[in-house]
Coordinates of all heavy atoms in Angstrom, one line a residue:
M410 N 79.2 -213.5 111.6 CA 79.0 -212.1 112.2 C 80.1 -211.2 111.5 O 81.2 -211.3 111.7 CB 79.3 -212.1 113.7 CG 79.1 -210.8 114.4 SD 77.4 -210.2 114.3 CE 76.6 -211.4 115.3
P411 N 79.5 -210.2 110.7 CA 80.4 -209.3 110.1 C 81.1 -208.4 111.1 O 80.6 -208.2 112.2 CB 79.6 -208.5 109.1 CG 78.3 -209.3 109.1 CD 78.2 -210.0 110.3
A412 N 82.2 -207.9 110.7 CA 83.0 -206.9 111.7 C 82.3 -205.5 111.5 O 81.9 -205.1 110.5 CB 84.4 -206.8 111.3
G413 N 82.2 -204.8 112.7 CA 81.9 -203.4 112.6 C 80.5 -203.0 112.4 O 80.1 -201.9 112.2
I414 N 79.6 -204.0 112.6 CA 78.1 -203.7 112.4 C 77.3 -203.7 113.7 O 76.2 -203.3 113.7 CB 77.5 -204.6 111.4 CG1 77.3 -206.0 112.0 CG2 78.2 -204.7 110.0 CD1 76.3 -206.9 111.3
V415 N 77.9 -204.1 114.8 CA 77.2 -204.2 116.0 C 77.2 -202.8 116.7 O 78.2 -202.2 117.0 CB 77.9 -205.2 117.0 CG1 77.1 -205.2 118.3 CG2 77.9 -206.6 116.4
P416 N 76.0 -202.3 117.0 CA 75.9 -201.0 117.6 C 76.4 -201.0 118.9 O 76.2 -202.0 119.7 CB 74.4 -200.6 117.5 CG 73.7 -202.0 117.4 CD 74.6 -202.9 116.6
P417 N 77.0 -199.9 119.5 CA 77.5 -199.9 120.8 C 76.3 -200.2 121.8 O 75.2 -199.7 121.7 CB 78.0 -198.5 121.0 CG 78.3 -198.0 119.7 CD 77.3 -198.7 118.7
G418 N 76.7 -201.0 122.8 CA 75.7 -201.2 123.9 C 74.6 -202.2 123.5 O 73.6 -202.3 124.2
L419 N 74.7 -203.0 122.4 CA 73.7 -203.9 122.0 C 73.5 -204.9 123.1 O 72.3 -205.3 123.5 CB 74.1 -204.6 120.8 CG 73.2 -205.8 120.4 CD1 71.8 -205.3 120.0 CD2 73.8 -206.6 119.1
L420 N 74.5 -205.4 123.7 CA 74.5 -206.4 124.9 C 74.3 -205.6 126.2 O 75.3 -205.1 126.7 CB 75.6 -207.3 124.9 CG 75.8 -208.3 123.7 CD1 76.9 -209.2 123.9 CD2 74.5 -209.1 123.6
N421 N 73.1 -205.4 126.6 CA 72.9 -204.7 127.9 C 71.9 -205.5 128.7 O 71.4 -206.6 128.3 CB 72.4 -203.3 127.6 CG 71.1 -203.3 126.7 OD1 70.1 -203.9 127.1 ND2 71.2 -202.5 125.6
K422 N 71.6 -205.0 129.9 CA 70.8 -205.7 130.8 C 69.4 -206.1 130.2 O 68.9 -207.2 130.3 CB 70.6 -204.9 132.1 CG 69.8 -205.7 133.2 CD 69.7 -204.9 134.5 CE 68.8 -205.6 135.5 NZ 68.8 -204.9 136.8
A423 N 68.8 -205.1 129.5 CA 67.5 -205.3 128.9 C 67.5 -206.4 127.8 O 66.7 -207.3 127.8 CB 66.9 -204.0 128.4
T424 N 68.5 -206.3 126.8 CA 68.5 -207.2 125.7 C 68.8 -208.6 126.2 O 68.3 -209.6 125.7 CB 69.4 -206.8 124.6 OG1 70.8 -206.6 125.2 CG2 69.0 -205.4 124.0
V425 N 69.8 -208.7 127.1 CA 70.2 -210.0 127.6 C 69.1 -210.7 128.5 O 68.8 -211.9 128.4 CB 71.5 -210.0 128.3 CG1 71.9 -211.3 129.0 CG2 72.7 -209.5 127.4
A426 N 68.4 -209.8 129.2 CA 67.3 -210.3 130.0 C 66.2 -211.0 129.1 O 65.7 -212.0 129.4 CB 66.7 -209.2 130.9
A427 N 65.9 -210.3 128.0 CA 65.0 -210.8 127.1 C 65.4 -212.1 126.4 O 64.6 -213.1 126.3 CB 64.7 -209.8 125.9
F428 N 66.7 -212.1 126.1 CA 67.2 -213.4 125.5 C 67.2 -214.5 126.5 O 66.8 -215.6 126.2 CB 68.7 -213.2 125.1 CG 69.4 -214.5 124.7 CD1 69.3 -215.0 123.4 CD2 70.1 -215.2 125.6 CE1 69.9 -216.2 123.0 CE2 70.7 -216.4 125.3 CZ 70.7 -216.9 124.0

Side-chain angles (χ1 to χ4, degrees):
M410 180 65 67
I414 69 164
V415 177
L419 174 64
L420 292 181
N421 55 54
K422 184 177 178 180
T424 58
V425 173
F428 172 86

